[in-house]
Amino acid sequence: MPKISTDTLWELAALEVRSRENGAGDEDTDQQDQSLHERTVFFTGSKSGGKTTILLRCLDRDEPPKPTLALEYTFGRRARGHNTPKDIAHFWELGGGTSLSDLAQIPINAQNVRAFSVVLVLDLSKPSSLWATQERLLQAARTQVERICSGPQKGADSRSSKQHDLIGIPRVLPTDHPDREIINPFPVPLLLIGSKFDIFQDFESEKRRVICKTLRFLAHYYGGSLIFTSSKSEGTMSKTKSFVSHLAFGTDRSKSMAIDPSKPLVVPAGMDSLSQIGSPPTTDIDIGSLHARNPLDLWKKVFERVFPPESTTERKQLKDPAKDLQYSEPLIDSMRAQKDQELDQYKRDATKSWKGLELET
């Protein structure tokens, strides 16, 4: 093999620099092509709502789910064909419900936001916490995405700046759709999953109707897809896997709809409408008496009349992971309790010693 001279290496390096400077557009195209082979999916949602179970089933992993410790990462790969690069999907899962929503800034960054999507898992068996959960978690994710996309960050290179400029709101509705000016699409692809349908189907019909219509509105308002599932139903899990695979690997997504409240909902993004969903489900509530700033606020007020939100005291306790039973460590917790007792005893002894001192006058 002939030896390459130093001059030749410098010439090659200079040529590469000139090529990048002159072909910036081609470089962006190459990056876009590469992003098609590498995507990131962020799983978030209700505490103990079944996020890990759904993720494992979507990755065909036959292993028992474990409680998610704060923020966890895994990945999946899929071959498109023979002698072609494998598609890679990075999966991040946020545990703790809304208590750790600030951690959303970790998986969402300038390097992956152009091929990023969010999966929000909502526990249908706990409707009282449903609205607060989606509101808090989606706001945390939206804030981080918009912060990155608002412009070049401090210290970011020109390439990252160009990536930000290429990001736009997903076009989930055609330009002539009557709801186009009313909805507020999420800045990245979004999938809402209603979990534990096996429990939900035993609810009273009126409560099911309220939850179904509200989630259909939320999915449509955010420009996302909606599907109900249960870990005990292979049929619903298979459809859920199809939707997640679409986000993770770009596979074809089913376009069939199912909007019967007595059956698992399946609503692909862009296929619903406010006219099909109808007005907020009210029985003894006068909508005109509700002072709402926008359609989203109106649906929130109606939903929380039917399902009053959880007390703020309970939500404050969840903000401290050290008090969360799913993160318990018996040995560490017992040692911590012992140290707390020793500290309390020290404080009492110190107080007594101060009281016993005679101050000089």
Side-chain angles (χ1 to χ4, degrees):
M1 179 177 180
K3 183 178 180 181
I4 300 177
S5 67
T6 305
D7 292 339
T8 303
L9 289 175
W10 278 111
E11 290 173 359
L12 290 173
L15 180 63
E16 177 67 18
V17 171
R18 287 195 296 271
S19 175
R20 292 187 178 186
E21 291 177 347
N22 296 331
D26 295 337
E27 182 181 355
D28 289 337
T29 301
D30 292 341
Q31 289 173 358
Q32 290 181 22
D33 292 340
Q34 182 179 1
S35 69
L36 296 177
H37 296 280
E38 194 166 340
R39 294 178 169 88
T40 302
V41 182
F42 181 36
F43 269 73
T44 184
S46 304
K47 178 183 176 182
S48 303
K51 298 182 293 295
T52 305
T53 299
I54 294 173
L55 180 54
L56 291 175
R57 297 284 283 273
C58 290
L59 292 175
D60 293 326
R61 295 183 183 174
D62 186 15
E63 57 186 83
K66 299 179 181 178
T68 302
L69 182 61
L71 185 67
E72 296 189 1
Y73 167 82
T74 188
F75 69 93
R77 286 184 289 190
R78 176 180 177 273
R80 290 195 178 191
H82 186 61
N83 291 332
T84 59
K86 287 187 176 181
D87 293 334
I88 301 175
H90 305 278
F91 293 96
W92 290 88
E93 182 186 352
L94 179 67
T98 60
S99 63
L100 303 175
S101 59
D102 292 343
L103 295 181
Q105 60 186 313
I106 295 177
I108 309 175
N109 54 61
Q111 286 69 42
N112 65 18
V113 73
R114 292 169 65 244
F116 192 89
S117 57
V118 173
V119 175
L120 177 67
V121 180
L122 297 173
D123 188 344
L124 296 175
S125 69
K126 300 177 180 178
S128 295
S129 61
L130 187 151
W131 191 281
T133 297
Q134 67 83 22
E135 187 175 49
R136 177 74 178 274
L137 294 175
L138 289 185
Q139 183 57 49
R142 182 189 285 270
T143 299
Q144 178 64 5
V145 171
E146 291 179 346
R147 185 184 70 81
I148 293 173
C149 300
S150 61
Q153 303 298 307
K154 184 177 180 181
D157 56 19
S158 59
R159 181 173 61 187
S160 297
S161 302
K162 292 173 183 176
Q163 288 180 1
H164 299 154
D165 295 339
L166 292 173
I167 304 170
I169 299 298
R171 297 181 179 179
V172 295
L173 296 179
T175 55
D176 59 346
H177 197 285
D179 301 339
R180 186 175 177 84
E181 300 301 323
I182 301 176
I183 68 172
N184 182 22
F186 205 68
V188 296
L190 172 67
L191 170 62
L192 271 62
I193 299 179
S195 64
K196 302 185 181 180
F197 178 79
D198 53 305
I199 300 176
F200 170 78
Q201 65 183 352
D202 294 331
F203 283 12
E204 297 176 4
S205 59
E206 184 59 29
K207 290 185 177 181
R208 289 201 310 268
R209 189 175 72 91
V210 172
I211 295 173
C212 287
K213 291 190 68 173
T214 301
L215 289 182
R216 283 180 62 190
F217 169 79
L218 286 172
H220 183 62
Y221 185 80
Y222 292 132
S225 298
L226 170 66
I227 187 169
F228 283 4
T229 191
S230 168
S231 60
K232 299 179 180 179
S233 169
E234 287 299 328
T236 61
M237 288 303 299
S238 177
K239 293 178 181 178
T240 302
K241 180 179 177 181
S242 174
F243 275 80
V244 173
S245 180
H246 171 71
L247 298 177
F249 301 110
T251 57
D252 293 335
R253 182 194 64 189
S254 173
K255 294 183 179 180
S256 61
M257 282 185 63
I259 55 176
D260 185 347
S262 64
K263 299 178 182 178
L265 298 187
V266 180
V267 186
M271 295 189 64
D272 214 342
S273 66
L274 293 178
S275 61
Q276 294 183 77
I277 298 171
S279 59
T282 60
T283 53
D284 55 352
I285 305 173
D286 180 12
I287 294 183
S289 64
L290 299 177
H291 302 286
R293 297 164 297 183
N294 50 53
L296 183 66
D297 192 35
L298 176 61
W299 279 80
K300 175 182 179 180
K301 290 180 181 299
V302 172
F303 184 82
E304 291 188 341
R305 287 285 188 93
V306 182
F307 300 103
E310 296 176 335
S311 64
T312 55
T313 303
E314 183 176 350
R315 271 183 267 172
K316 286 181 179 179
Q317 292 178 348
L318 293 176
K319 289 184 178 181
D320 186 0
K323 297 179 181 179
D324 198 323
L325 294 179
Q326 71 169 319
Y327 305 133
S328 63
E329 293 286 347
L331 294 178
I332 297 177
D333 293 342
S334 61
M335 182 60 69
R336 172 62 186 269
Q338 179 181 337
K339 293 299 181 183
D340 287 342
Q341 292 176 0
E342 293 175 359
L343 177 59
D344 290 339
Q345 184 62 44
Y346 173 79
K347 289 179 179 179
R348 288 193 292 269
D349 293 343
T351 300
K352 292 178 181 178
S353 62
W354 276 106
K355 289 180 178 180
L357 291 177
E358 294 182 1
L359 298 179
E360 296 182 359
T361 57

